[in-house]
Every structure is written in C-alpha cells, then in structure tokens.
Amino acid sequence: MKQFSYSTRSEDILRCRGTTFEVLVIGGGIIGSGVANALSQSGISVILVDRSDFGSGTSSKSSKLIHGGLRYLAQGRLKLTRNLLKERNYLLKHSDVVRKETFDILVGKGQFGKLTIGAGLLLYRLLGGGRPSQFKKNKGEYPEDVDGYFTYTDCVTDDAYLTIMNVVSAHENNAVCLNYVSFIGLEKVAGGIRARLMDVTTGVEFQIQAKMLINCAGAWIREVVPGSKISPETTRLSKGVHLIYPRSVYPGKNSVAFKSPLDGRQMFVIPREKVVIVGTTDTFTDSPDDLEVTSEERSYVMRSCSFVSDSLAKADPIAEYAGIRTLYGKGNKPGKLSRDFKIIEDDISITVIGGKVTDYRRVAYRVAKMVSSKIHTGKVLHEVPRLDYPGLPWHNNIESAINFECSMTISDILERRLGTYYFDPERLEETSNKILEFLQRNNIKMENEFFTGKEKNED
Ligand SMILES: Cc1cc2nc3c(=O)[nH]c(=O)nc-3n(C[C@H](O)[C@H](O)[C@H](O)COP(=O)(O)OP(=O)(O)OC[C@H]3O[C@@H](n4cnc5c(N)ncnc54)[C@H](O)[C@@H]3O)c2cc1C
C-alpha cells in the first residue's frame, strides 16, 4: 500500500509541473475518480484534480442507494434499470462499502397502486434477482393511512467513501491524484492542451500538458470549460435535499420507499448506522452552488414523513444536506428527465453529463474505451474499473484517512473518510477531538485548516 497523504501530495505537485500526461481528468467525484481508476488500470498516464476534496460535490450528497431505481422502471426505462441492477450486483459482490438493505414499499389507503407495484417488483426481481414479495396488511407498523406494504431488497453505500476508494485505487495504479487543486483554464497546443491549475492550499499556480481532457465536473461542467458543446437547454440542474434524524426517533427496522402525501413524489426513509436519512426533493435550479436547504424544502420533507412515522414527523433533524444532479434531456419536470448519462466529445476533450453513483463503472469503462481508441489504439482494456483498494470494513480509521486516503483537513476525515457527519453526527465533537489528539501526537501541523507537514521536534 503506497502512502497517499498531504506530504506525498506536495511532492506530486512539485513533480508534475510541466509534465505531459496522456489524460487530465477534472473533478474527483464518483465519475472522475472512476474514470481515473479505469484509465490508470489500463496503463494510461493520468492526472486527476479536484478543486476541493475528492467526493465533496454531489457524490457525498446522494441518497446513498445502489439501486436499479423502481421509479425508472415505472417510467418504462427498462434498459436503464437492467444496467443499474447489473452494476448493483457487481458492487455488492466486490465491495464491502456496498451492502444489502431491506425496503418496505408502502401503499396508501385508497391508492390504486397495489397491483402495479406488485408487478413492478416482480419485474425488478427478474431483472436483478432477489426474493418475491407478498403484500402485507398494515397491522400498526405504520400510521393508519397506510394500507399495507411489499418488501424488497436493494443496496446502500457510503457514496463519499466509495469515491475515496476509487481515488486510492487509481493512486495505487500510478495516477497522480490531487485534491484542492483547481482547474483554471487551458490553451490548445500541438498534440493536446496546456492546462493551468492552482493549488488551493497555497494559491500557487502551475501548468501541466495532456493529450486529452476529461470533464467530470458534475454540476460544474459548464463553468469548467465555457463555450464547449454543452447546451443549457439539454443539460439541466436539479436540486435534492436530505434531512438526518437520530436513529432513536424512528421505531422501524427496514428502510421505507413511499410516495409523499403532498405531491406523490417518490421518497425514502433510510435507517443507517446511528441515524435515519430522509429524502429527497427534485427541483430545477440554475446554479450548481445552490446548496442551502431552504425552509420550504425542509418543511416539505418533514411533512412528508408523517405518512411513514408519527414520531419521525414530530422530531427535529440534527443535520441536513443538499446536492445537485446534472440531467440530460428536455422537459419541464425534473422527475421526467432520464437519469442515464450522456458523453459528448470533440477533438481533445470528453465531457460526462450525469451518471449515477450506481452506474459509475459503466461511465468509466465507456470513457476509458473512447480514450483508448483516440490515443492508444493498441491498448487492451480489462474489466475496469476494479477497486484495487478495499478500504477497511465499512469505515476507515484516522491514521489511514491521513496517511493512505489523502485527507487534507479535519472535515475531509469527518465527512468523507469516517462518515461521522452523515452517519453519526452526534459524535462530531468527540471525533474531532480524537483527530486533534492524533495530529498533536504525530506532530502534524495545520495552516489555514490544511495539514501541511510535521512540526519540528523541540529537542
Ligand atoms: C439528491 C440526490 C440524490 C441522489 N441519490 C442517488 C442514489 O441514491 N444513488 C445513485 O446511484 N445516485 C444518486 N444520485 C446521483 C449521484 O449522486 C450523482 O449523479 C453523482 O454523485 C455525480 O457524480 P459526479 O462525479 O459527476 O459529480 P460530483 O460528485 O459533483 O463531482 C464533481 C467534482 O468536480 C469538482 N470541480 C468542479 N469544478 C472544478 C474545477 N474548476 N477544478 C477542479 N475540480 C472541479 C467538484 O469539486 C466536484 O467534486 C443522487 C443525486 C442527488 C442530487
């Protein structure tokens, strides 16, 4: 296992100045990290940059489901659901950070959905495997507006940590992976591009060259390469919010899929380690930085909960988060736009629009094949991307987070390595103190919140 830390990062920045790579990947979310992992495993030289921490964009703000999407099946998107279920099953088999979860799908009194849901679940099972489910009458497990429920199995993950695992895997395969390095601009040069990058921790700019650029900046793809072929009419942004409650306020054992009594939108209540995560919304937004949870959004999620649990509906959330989806297609309702990804290319760049966490391997493989045929005709790609970094079971420890997963700040550890923010927010202070003790014990300095190096020993 190679060291991958604040200190190797500084060395990598010094070493890569002026270097020519085959590929520059912009954006270290699940898509960019999957792409970098796939390319490096295929022997292609790659540099991956993210202007913030890896996984700090939408890839830590999802519902954290690895699923085929029953809703997509209901919309007749059979091929998408089948592909997603195939990916779900692969990830379940190959990664400890993806695990099975039992869901109850609720049917309200007077709703005509019982037969349709039953048939949909049968098809879902045929496409992806799993046990058949009988309709069960509500005998007080749920509030009285619920007639009954079907039970089915899907998967959950820690989206941010799955992203980190791909980055570490890419690093193990010799990709240069730099968090807190922003892509600022490019100029075309013979044989590719020259890119201007900036180390956000120091403000220092540097340049690298690459034969190709892959734009995986998620909701920011249009900002990153302005004037490219990404049309605002067909590339829409949609915001989704989640609320986090203490596990103690929700008596149920299973996760729940239900339709909001307010507008019929598909929602989830998902018990996780020490919390219950409830979401989500789906509303168009013009800005990739629209990340505040508004009081209307909070109230919508809280009021929708009353269909599932009285105690949950009465409780106050202890944390919340918002994320932005990038959707490809035309239409005036975000819920109707496809969740499938789209890849567009020109002579020197490839841009990925959309792509679910569940589907990241399919996107990465497709991009790697395109790159391979453009610049490496002789190269054969294997089954990629694989996870060559297994992580430690479910969540890692502080030492690994710093020395092998390139955390640069305390928040990087709390939010995207240990998952404390999302899965155990009541222990944020305690865990922060443990991190501070670790830093002190190991003489690790911080400057403007970033880890910078060892403090010289007094003696
Ligand atoms: C509310 C919600 C719920 C969802 N639930 C699910 C789910 O349950 N299951 C599922 O499979 N999918 C789900 N999705 C979809 C999934 O989360 C996203 O499609 C996926 O995370 C997108 O990943 P990405 O890598 O494209 O984008 P991001 O994770 O946003 O990564 C883009 C990165 O680009 C970086 N960047 C931007 N500008 C620059 C620059 N100039 N220089 C360098 N870096 C830059 C950003 O810092 C960011 O880290 C959900 C999405 C939302 C919004």
Side-chain angles (χ1 to χ4, degrees):
M1 181 86 219
K2 289 190 215 161
Q3 198 185 344
F4 181 34
S5 66
Y6 59 89
S7 118
T8 62
R9 175 186 171 281
S10 303
E11 290 160 16
D12 282 344
I13 290 179
L14 283 178
R15 212 174 301 135
C16 75
R17 281 169 195 220
T19 304
T20 300
F21 293 85
E22 285 171 305
V23 178
L24 163 65
V25 180
I26 303 170
I30 189 69
I31 302 296
S33 62
V35 166
N37 194 16
L39 291 173
S40 60
Q41 284 171 346
S42 308
I44 293 170
S45 77
V46 53
I47 176 168
L48 166 72
V49 297
D50 197 294
R51 66 174 176 185
S52 181
D53 188 24
F54 307 119
S56 59
T58 309
S59 298
S60 48
K61 314 288 181 356
S62 80
S63 302
K64 308 183 191 303
L65 302 176
I66 296 293
H67 64 154
L70 267 170
R71 189 166 68 85
Y72 315 145
L73 195 60
Q75 291 173 340
R77 301 186 198 275
L78 210 74
K79 197 168 154 218
L80 174 64
T81 309
R82 197 189 56 213
N83 286 332
L84 290 171
L85 286 171
K86 205 169 141 207
E87 285 305 308
R88 179 197 73 178
N89 294 347
Y90 176 94
L91 287 170
L92 179 63
K93 193 166 164 203
H94 292 92
S95 165
D96 284 343
V97 82
V98 174
R99 65 165 165 75
K100 277 189 182 172
E101 174 69 19
T102 305
F103 285 78
D104 290 347
I105 179 161
L106 307 189
V107 183
K109 282 187 180 148
Q111 282 181 4
F112 297 108
K114 211 191 298 180
L115 274 179
T116 325
I117 295 172
L121 280 173
L122 187 66
L123 187 55
Y124 201 68
R125 186 181 69 85
L126 286 173
L127 292 172
R131 289 203 203 103
S133 165
Q134 300 295 322
F135 182 73
K136 293 184 200 112
K137 267 287 193 205
N138 177 20
K139 291 186 180 144
E141 305 92 304
Y142 293 104
E144 58 180 23
D145 283 346
V146 176
D147 185 24
Y149 56 94
F150 292 91
T151 300
Y152 71 102
T153 307
D154 239 330
C155 292
V156 292
T157 191
D158 175 349
D159 46 3
Y161 196 58
L162 185 61
T163 304
I164 299 297
M165 286 167 74
N166 272 280
V167 176
V168 180
S169 179
H171 181 261
E172 282 287 295
N173 287 289
N174 300 322
V176 173
C177 302
L178 302 173
N179 46 1
Y180 297 99
V181 167
S182 186
F183 169 82
I184 298 176
L186 65 81
E187 60 175 307
K188 285 191 184 182
V189 293
I193 55 147
R194 181 178 298 123
R196 276 174 55 222
L197 305 175
M198 186 184 74
D199 180 351
V200 174
T201 71
T202 57
V204 173
E205 282 192 25
F206 60 101
Q207 297 187 345
I208 59 108
Q209 291 197 185
K211 291 182 185 164
M212 284 196 70
L213 174 149
I214 320 280
N215 182 354
C216 298
W220 295 271
I221 43 174
R222 289 184 50 228
E223 269 81 355
V224 162
V225 191
S228 64
K229 286 198 285 181
I230 313 158
S231 143
E233 279 84 50
T234 50
T235 305
R236 308 291 301 274
L237 302 180
S238 153
K239 180 180 178 188
V241 310
H242 288 86
L243 305 184
I244 303 178
Y245 293 83
R247 181 70 183 85
S248 55
V249 302
Y250 179 64
K253 191 164 114 289
N254 293 349
S255 287
V256 173
F258 68 105
K259 286 200 187 316
S260 166
L262 304 177
D263 62 358
R265 201 198 121 63
Q266 171 80 63
M267 296 188 73
F268 293 100
V269 168
I270 308 165
R272 296 296 302 257
E273 280 76 342
K274 299 286 168 56
V275 297
V276 180
I277 299 179
V278 184
T280 180
T281 56
D282 194 1
T283 45
F284 281 134
T285 176
D286 291 330
S287 166
D289 299 305
D290 178 11
L291 295 171
E292 287 282 306
V293 178
T294 65
S295 53
E296 290 81 32
E297 288 162 338
R298 195 176 300 116
S299 154
Y300 169 86
V301 176
M302 289 173 82
R303 287 192 297 138
S304 297
C305 285
S306 62
F307 188 64
V308 178
S309 157
D310 293 333
S311 54
L312 191 58
K314 284 183 198 138
D316 287 324
I318 44 174
E320 58 192 22
Y321 60 92
I324 310 287
R325 309 169 181 87
T326 312
L327 305 175
Y328 185 79
K330 285 186 175 164
N332 49 16
K333 286 197 177 153
K336 293 266 191 291
L337 295 189
S338 171
R339 263 47 179 172
D340 213 348
F341 61 89
K342 171 91 181 160
I343 299 175
I344 56 175
E345 61 179 317
D346 58 30
D347 51 339
I348 45 138
S349 77
I350 290 176
T351 298
V352 179
I353 305 172
K356 290 183 68 72
V357 175
T358 309
D359 221 10
Y360 82 90
R361 291 181 60 259
R362 218 159 56 89
V363 182
Y365 183 68
R366 189 83 62 83
V367 170
K369 270 185 87 168
M370 288 166 79
V371 171
S372 177
S373 72
K374 273 188 185 240
I375 60 171
H376 261 273
T377 38
K379 211 151 247 182
V380 181
L381 292 156
H382 304 291
E383 266 285 292
V384 293
R386 300 176 311 269
L387 281 172
D388 287 336
Y389 175 61
L392 291 181
W394 202 246
H395 284 125
N396 220 325
N397 59 42
I398 294 171
E399 186 179 353
S400 296
I402 294 177
N403 289 329
F404 298 106
E405 296 173 349
C406 202
S407 301
M408 289 296 294
T409 71
I410 293 179
S411 300
D412 295 350
I413 303 177
L414 291 170
E415 292 179 28
R416 291 168 291 277
R417 309 303 189 280
L418 304 186
T420 318
Y421 179 83
Y422 295 100
F423 304 116
D424 198 1
E426 285 174 326
R427 286 188 52 214
L428 274 174
E429 198 182 326
E430 182 192 327
T431 316
S432 302
N433 288 336
K434 280 190 187 156
I435 297 170
L436 285 170
E437 276 166 29
F438 180 90
L439 296 175
Q440 213 172 18
R441 227 180 14 256
N442 291 279
N443 296 323
I444 298 172
K445 263 197 303 183
M446 276 201 290
E447 257 175 48
N448 302 326
E449 80 177 305
F450 296 110
F451 306 153
T452 55
K454 302 256 178 204
E455 200 125 35
K456 282 207 182 86
N457 259 334
E458 295 290 302
D459 44 12

